[in-house]
Amino acid sequence: MIIDFVPIQQYTHCFHIALLILVLFAVFQCQRGVIFRKDVVNMDAGWGFVIASLIIIYMGLRLVSAQFGDTMNYYKMFKDIANGIDIGDKSQEDIIFYTTLHWFAKYSNIHSFFLLCAFLYVAPLWLAMVRIFKSYYWIPFLVILSMFTFWQYGVNGVRNGVGASLFILAMTYVENLPVMALLSVLAIGFHKSVLLMVAGGALAWFIKNSYYYLAGWILCVIVSYFFGGQIQNYLAGIDFMAGDERFSGYMTGENMVGEIVQMSMVFRWDFLLYSSMAVVVGYYFIFRRDFKDEYYHWIYNTYLATNAFWILVIRAAYSNRFAQISWFIMPIVLIYPFMKQRFWTNHEKMLGYAILTFYAFAFYENILKSGIL
């Protein structure tokens, strides 16, 4: 079974329009001051499960089309495996992902495979928010959905999306380190870029002072602006990602052709501005409002550490792929304080304004720029 009754050209647009409606309704609840009322919380939690399930189905049962980026590349590999054609060294990369792909190519079909990937992408995020926020999880989950790259990493950067989602879930098991470690290993097995998230989380686990991470983040912006090109050439030269030729190509621009790619190899002020939203929010609550929550400090420090790495290679081709490593953590940094403590007498209204602000970049990128409205 596949969803073929939605025109392929409108498939992604339908998701973004539905998301816009959900965001506006949540803001309406905030402005009415009822978002934290128990009956509303229970209703939103129930609908949140339904919406998460529908997203999994809608995302997983999509048509195989170049409209969805790497979906077509995965399909080609799937067919090669099913026909007994060797796909080369790829089967040695991201071993859990490709082992799963091999199994489905031999015993099932591509749509079941993509449905499983959608489940492994969305369900861990849903469960992570439930574990952190209990019955109040809907607004944090909605903020995740409203990140401008959410859909992209469910249909295009599928390995990265699944790996990052599993690591976000792992981060909720701080009191059960064996489970955290197991989920982290699974996440790395789907995409080895998660190693950077694990490294950032481990660093933040042992060094807890957020001043250091904030100062380091600012320093990385300055260093990257003046010396970013040299840093990227150095990382490519020392084989930083252990034999990953794509990483070296991204750093130097070699084997990357096309005007769009070449234009992307500049200092990305737009992505830096987007990333700084979480930096500013975390700074405000931790340093200005004295928000003392050890778990939030860990999440914030992990974000700063992983985002700082991207800033050092901000000129790389497809720079957003490196930024996304930290952007997966970003929604929790943005929404966590709003859900854990009241800071204003009109807290619900301030939450509504915050949701709109967090969603603004996605609205511009996914709706205005694409010409939906």
Side-chain angles (χ1 to χ4, degrees):
M1 177 183 175
I2 58 174
I3 299 176
D4 55 4
F5 53 85
V6 179
I8 194 67
Q9 295 82 4
Q10 304 301 320
Y11 205 87
T12 300
H13 292 173
C14 289
F15 171 80
H16 291 309
I17 290 296
L19 180 61
L20 173 61
I21 294 170
L22 292 174
V23 169
L24 292 178
F25 185 69
V27 172
F28 172 75
Q29 290 179 321
C30 291
Q31 296 306 303
R32 289 286 304 276
V34 301
I35 192 67
F36 293 129
R37 206 171 69 191
K38 193 61 179 177
D39 61 325
V40 174
V41 169
N42 291 336
M43 178 189 71
D44 287 347
W47 278 109
F49 176 79
V50 173
I51 290 167
S53 301
L54 291 175
I55 290 172
I56 291 170
I57 294 170
Y58 189 72
M59 183 180 285
L61 296 181
R62 66 190 180 276
L63 287 169
V64 174
S65 168
Q67 289 276 82
F68 304 121
D70 279 346
T71 287
M72 186 59 71
N73 293 329
Y74 294 134
Y75 177 57
K76 290 177 180 177
M77 283 188 285
F78 187 97
K79 288 198 302 181
D80 286 345
I81 295 169
N83 293 327
I85 300 173
D86 185 12
I87 62 171
D89 294 337
K90 285 187 177 296
S91 60
Q92 304 304 313
E93 304 173 4
D94 305 328
I95 190 166
I96 295 179
F97 176 86
Y98 283 109
T99 298
T100 306
L101 180 66
H102 271 79
W103 189 92
F104 274 86
K106 290 184 178 298
Y107 302 109
S108 188
N109 59 73
I110 189 65
H111 301 294
S112 297
F113 173 73
F114 283 140
L115 184 62
L116 174 65
C117 289
F119 175 82
L120 293 175
Y121 178 50
V122 178
L125 295 173
W126 177 86
L127 181 57
M129 295 307 98
V130 171
R131 287 182 51 79
I132 296 173
F133 300 103
K134 308 302 187 240
S135 59
Y136 293 84
Y137 78 86
W138 166 242
I139 292 299
F141 185 61
L142 179 62
V143 172
I144 288 177
L145 299 180
S146 62
M147 293 291 101
F148 86 100
T149 54
F150 172 79
W151 176 263
Q152 177 185 351
Y153 280 85
V155 301
N156 182 14
V158 175
R159 289 175 297 153
N160 195 346
V162 171
S165 292
L166 289 171
F167 181 69
I168 296 298
L169 180 59
M171 295 182 83
T172 69
Y173 284 91
V174 290
E175 296 179 355
N176 192 335
L177 293 183
V179 175
M180 177 188 283
L182 176 61
L183 286 171
S184 297
V185 170
L186 289 174
I188 294 167
F190 273 93
H191 201 275
K192 62 184 177 184
S193 69
V194 178
L195 274 168
L196 293 172
M197 301 175 76
V198 173
L203 179 66
W205 185 272
F206 294 104
I207 303 175
K208 301 180 184 296
N209 193 324
S210 295
Y211 279 109
Y212 298 154
Y213 295 93
L214 183 59
W217 187 87
I218 295 171
L219 179 62
C220 283
V221 173
I222 297 171
V223 170
S224 180
Y225 183 79
F226 290 103
F227 306 107
Q230 295 93 312
I231 292 172
Q232 289 177 202
N233 289 332
Y234 174 76
L235 291 176
I238 65 172
D239 194 20
F240 181 75
M241 290 297 285
D244 191 334
E245 295 181 358
R246 292 174 303 170
F247 178 82
S248 298
Y250 292 153
M251 292 298 102
T252 63
E254 293 179 3
N255 303 321
M256 302 290 164
V257 296
E259 182 180 0
I260 294 177
V261 172
Q262 296 305 319
M263 287 177 61
S264 72
M265 298 187 70
V266 296
F267 195 89
R268 295 303 302 264
W269 289 105
D270 52 346
F271 287 168
L272 180 62
L273 180 63
Y274 181 68
S275 296
S276 66
M277 182 165 56
V279 178
V280 172
V281 168
Y283 167 81
Y284 173 76
F285 285 110
I286 292 174
F287 299 112
R288 305 299 295 178
R289 300 305 297 264
D290 198 28
F291 182 51
K292 296 186 182 299
D293 185 303
E294 186 175 354
Y295 184 74
Y296 182 69
H297 284 227
W298 178 54
I299 294 289
Y300 181 61
N301 295 345
T302 302
Y303 173 80
L304 288 174
T306 52
N307 193 253
F309 171 79
W310 160 69
I311 288 173
L312 291 176
V313 298
I314 198 171
R315 294 177 178 83
Y318 304 109
S319 173
N320 61 302
R321 297 187 180 184
F322 298 98
Q324 187 63 37
I325 295 169
S326 59
W327 287 349
F328 279 114
I329 308 171
M330 188 176 183
I332 307 175
V333 176
L334 294 174
I335 200 63
Y336 187 98
F338 289 93
M339 307 303 295
K340 292 295 184 177
Q341 183 175 321
R342 292 187 67 87
F343 292 93
W344 305 276
T345 55
N346 62 338
H347 188 86
E348 289 83 358
K349 289 189 176 182
M350 294 297 291
L351 173 60
Y353 299 142
I355 292 170
L356 280 179
T357 302
F358 302 157
Y359 176 66
F361 196 85
F363 179 78
Y364 172 74
E365 286 288 331
N366 297 329
I367 292 184
L368 290 185
K369 281 183 68 174
S370 63
I372 297 178
L373 296 181

